[in-house]
Each structure stands twice: as structure tokens, then as C-alpha cells.
Amino acid sequence: MSRYPFSKAKPGLSTLGGILLFSLAISGSFLFAGEARADFRVCNGTQNLVGVAIGYRAKEGWVTEGWWQVPATTCATLIEGELESRYYYLYAEDAARGGRWTGDVNMCVAENEFKISGVQDCFARGFQRMGFKEYDTGRQGSWMVQLSDTPGTQESQN
């Protein structure tokens, strides 16, 4: 049994289904057209359910939260309202194929729904450590990330 609620990959087969990359979508994307608003949103451009966790710097320090279940070809709002930080961090897993969207910034996650303060000593505190991808919003009020199967990264303001 997997330690993560959205991973179906077997140990040693983490590349099953290929390597998935992050790409940012503009708010006028033909696939996810809709009203623009001040939020941090993640859109799932794949044909599978994806579990998403986010990390950010809050007044009290580093925080990670998860899991948002984002069905195929839908979007989810992870942070409602005007964004307060410049940098946000994402980690995601494809429930069907076991693919992962990762980065180089280590933060804590838990198996079930979580909100964790701090990014140090994940294992000692009973959590797992995963690599999150950093997004520099440039202090924009809103941001959207599109998860897709196709390689390539395009950053844009929302």
C-alpha cells in the first residue's frame, strides 16, 4: 500500500507513465476559460484525478497544506482571495498513473488531509518530505498553474 493517497506507483517504478512537468496556463486558456479573480488556482489538464499540496510563507512561518483532489480537466482554488506571498510551492501526484509533479524545495506532507507548520524535521515529526516546485508570482494578486502531461513550461501573469 502506498504512503500517499494519490499514488498508485509501485516502489521502483516512479517513472511509470513518464515524467510529468508543470506548466502555467493563462486565465483565458481555451480549456479552462472563466472569470478572472484573485486566487491561487491549479488546473488539471490531464485525464486523471490529481492530488495537490501547496506550501507558502505565512506570518507564523512556513506552512504546507493538502490534499486537494482535482478531477481531470477541472480547476481547484487552493488559496482564496488576494495572494499575500510572492513565492508559492506545489507538489502533485497523478492518482491513476503514479506520476508526480515535483521540484527542488523540500517540504512536509502527510498521508491524509493536512496543514503543517514548518518544513524542518519532517520525518522526526511523523511526516514525509517531498520536493515542491517554486512559483514566483512576482507579487501578482492571482496565479494559476496548469498541470499537464506534455513537456514544456510557460509562465504568465493572471
Side-chain angles (χ1 to χ4, degrees), residues 3 16 25-26 30 32 36 44 55 57 59-61 65 68 72 75 77 79 99 105 110 114-115 127 132 144 151:
R3 294 178 298 193
L16 181 64
I26 58 174
F30 71 93
F32 303 106
N44 178 2
R57 181 94 175 160
K59 290 178 185 174
E60 64 275 6
E65 294 185 61
W68 280 266
C75 298
T77 300
I79 297 176
V105 180
F114 66 90
K115 183 171 185 177
F127 304 119
F132 282 60
M144 183 168 53

Side-chain angles (χ1 to χ4, degrees), residues 3-4 91 100 105-110 119-123 126-132:
R3 294 178 298 193
Y4 307 103
Y91 172 82
R100 296 178 182 175
V105 180
N106 289 321
M107 296 186 161
C108 304
V109 298
V119 296
Q120 301 299 323
D121 303 318
C122 297
F123 299 119
F127 304 119
Q128 297 298 314
R129 186 178 67 196
M130 291 295 169
F132 282 60

Side-chain angles (χ1 to χ4, degrees), residues 11-49:
L13 297 176
S14 63
T15 58
L16 181 64
I19 298 173
L20 300 174
L21 299 174
F22 276 108
S23 65
L24 293 173
I26 58 174
S27 60
S29 168
F30 71 93
L31 187 56
F32 303 106
E35 290 182 29
R37 58 183 190 215
D39 292 326
F40 192 102
R41 295 171 46 91
V42 173
C43 293
N44 178 2
T46 75
Q47 295 302 311
N48 300 311
L49 174 68

Side-chain angles (χ1 to χ4, degrees), residues 41-133:
R41 295 171 46 91
V42 173
C43 293
N44 178 2
T46 75
Q47 295 302 311
N48 300 311
L49 174 68
V50 173
V52 179
I54 190 167
Y56 54 91
R57 181 94 175 160
K59 290 178 185 174
E60 64 275 6
W62 289 104
V63 174
T64 53
E65 294 185 61
W67 295 98
W68 280 266
Q69 294 185 26
V70 186
T73 67
T74 65
C75 298
T77 300
L78 278 55
I79 297 176
E80 294 184 8
E82 199 77 15
L83 300 181
E84 296 181 10
S85 295
R86 177 175 175 176
Y87 297 98
Y88 289 87
Y89 304 83
L90 284 181
Y91 172 82
E93 291 186 3
D94 180 314
R97 298 187 322 190
R100 296 178 182 175
W101 290 266
T102 64
D104 297 329
V105 180
N106 289 321
M107 296 186 161
C108 304
V109 298
E111 184 173 336
N112 297 310
E113 184 178 330
F114 66 90
K115 183 171 185 177
I116 301 170
S117 295
V119 296
Q120 301 299 323
D121 303 318
C122 297
F123 299 119
R125 297 190 295 147
F127 304 119
Q128 297 298 314
R129 186 178 67 196
M130 291 295 169
F132 282 60
K133 180 172 175 63

